[in-house]
Each structure stands twice: as structure tokens, then as C-alpha cells.
Amino acid sequence: MTTLGAVFVPQLPPERLRSVVRAADESGLEELWLWEDCFLESGVATAAAALAWSERVRIAVGLLPVPFRNVAVTAMELATLYRLFPGRAIIGVGHGVQDWMAQVGARAESPITLLREYVTALRGLLAGERITVDGRYVHLDGVALDWPPSGAPVYVGATGQRTLRLAGELADGTILTGGTGVEAVRAARQRIDEGRQAAGRTDPHPVVVYLHAATGDDAEARMAAERVRWGYHDGQDVTVAGDAHAVADAVARWADAGADTVVLQPTPDDPDPEGFMRFVAERVRPLVA
């Protein structure tokens, strides 16, 4: 069955998060996704608050930019979340937006090398291993967590072919950005599977994709403005606007292309973010196989 989620977009102020989390949790939404976008809101701080304010909804962060964060700090933060809220947190990591990384003096000359070193070390630390590594970017000298978690999925956000293969090889799941069309999902799934095959992996590997979605009386107008903001060309099939049936039909197409989880991404100017969570859980979810 396709998992259905929704995004709390960080263009909303942090103080709005609590009511959106409550709406997601009470309506039965499966997953609420958060972003760590520069320079809006922290992924870990918002995830911790959302987990504490809720009882059952899974809280996911997609994603933490690895140039921003020492891998040992990330491992400590993730282990704490996974132990405090077992089975309810999903954390993704990735390259980050390179222009933003340059702004903070953290841009890597070889993002793919950094991500490989980082994910390898992060997964080892979360598995309770003592890690010593002297890589191009990651340097650890006998580092081990005192409180490693039991079960700690690490997803990787990916767009390019090399990163998609790396995600299949090293990660527990892959996150595809909004603007990924149906055919691009199929192609990404193939690249991910190539990485999994090369690594001899046969464990499940969920593929998550964001899908721009809007509903309500002004949905078409808001989505048209959103398409301009993201630079999508006319005819590019990467958004949906309409009622629950229209949104569910779009979710089904992305799921048929290979997405295990479809996360509906509202427009930043959605007039009712809490209502959007209820719409996804109560009206779209029953229509999705």
C-alpha cells in the first residue's frame, strides 16, 4: 500500500508547527515531513517538537544537508530522537543546496565523496560501531555512541544519477524532490536498484517523492503561481490541483511509477495548513490504494 504524507513547509513560522502537528496526528495522517531549508527552520529542533506534540504520526526530515553538520553531532541527534520516539522518526540527509552551502562556507569540492563518507560513518555510528576514519571530509578517531538506537533508518535525498546509485548502495531509503515527474521516478528507481545490486542489498528500500498539491477554491491560481516560482515549464506534469479525487489519481500515477511514499507538498500560501493535513488524511487517503 502506498504511504501518504504531507509537508509542513518551512515558509510557515515555527510557532505554527504545533497546530499543524496536532491536526496531522488527530486526523490519522501517516507521515508529516519537515525540511531543514536555509535559512528558515532547523530540521532536528522541529522534529523533536513535532514528535513530542504527537502520539502516532511518523515525523520525517527530508533532509539534513551534510556539509552543514559534523557527522558525530548528527549521529548523536538522530540516536536521541530514535530512542525517545522508537519507530516514529525518519531522517534523511543529502548534499544540500550548493549555493546555500557556499554562503556558510561549507561547500564541498566533491559533494558525492562527502556524502559517501558521511552516510557510511553515520550508519556505522548508529549501529553502535566504534568508527575511526580519515577521509577526504570525514575524520573520526575512535568515536562511538554511548546510546546507539535500535533501528535507525537513514534516507538519502538524491537527484543526479551518481547520488541515486549511492543512495541505493548505502541508504535505507531515497527521497526525490518535488518536481520529479512520473518518468523521472521510474528512471530514479532504476538507478537506485543498480546501486542496491552492486552492493548486494536485498532489504526493502522505500522511495519517497514530493508532489506539489493544492486544493480549495483558489487551488488552480495558487498552483499556477507555485509553478512559476519553481520554474516549471508549461506541460511539465509535476503538480496537481483540485479535489480529493484529482489528488488521489495523481498519487496513484506516481505510486505506479515506483514511489512507495507520496508526500503532498502544499503551496506556502495555503490558507489553511491544518485543513490541508486533514484533507490529505481524511479525504485523499481513503481513495488511495
Side-chain angles (χ1 to χ4, degrees), residues 128-256:
E129 300 172 10
R130 183 170 299 277
I131 304 296
T132 295
V133 60
D134 187 20
R136 181 173 177 181
Y137 297 103
V138 174
H139 306 277
L140 299 172
D141 183 6
V143 176
L145 297 178
D146 284 3
W147 298 104
S150 175
V154 175
Y155 285 31
V156 164
T159 54
Q161 294 192 12
R162 293 175 63 199
T163 309
L164 288 164
R165 291 190 188 97
L166 183 147
E169 176 187 348
L170 297 180
D172 301 303
T174 300
I175 305 165
L176 306 178
T177 185
T180 304
V182 167
E183 292 306 317
V185 171
R186 291 195 177 96
R189 186 101 222 188
Q190 184 176 348
R191 299 290 89 77
I192 293 164
D193 288 343
E194 289 172 0
R196 285 167 50 76
Q197 184 176 6
R201 298 189 64 169
T202 58
D203 52 324
H205 187 103
V207 172
V208 180
V209 65
Y210 297 120
L211 173 60
H212 297 277
T215 191
D217 294 339
D218 61 347
E220 294 285 352
R222 284 189 290 111
M223 188 54 71
E226 188 76 343
R227 291 179 65 89
V228 171
R229 187 169 77 90
W230 286 92
Y232 301 140
H233 60 71
D234 291 343
Q236 191 173 355
D237 184 15
V238 293
T239 64
V240 58
D243 62 11
H245 287 277
V247 175
D249 287 347
V251 170
R253 291 195 293 115
W254 266 259
D256 288 344

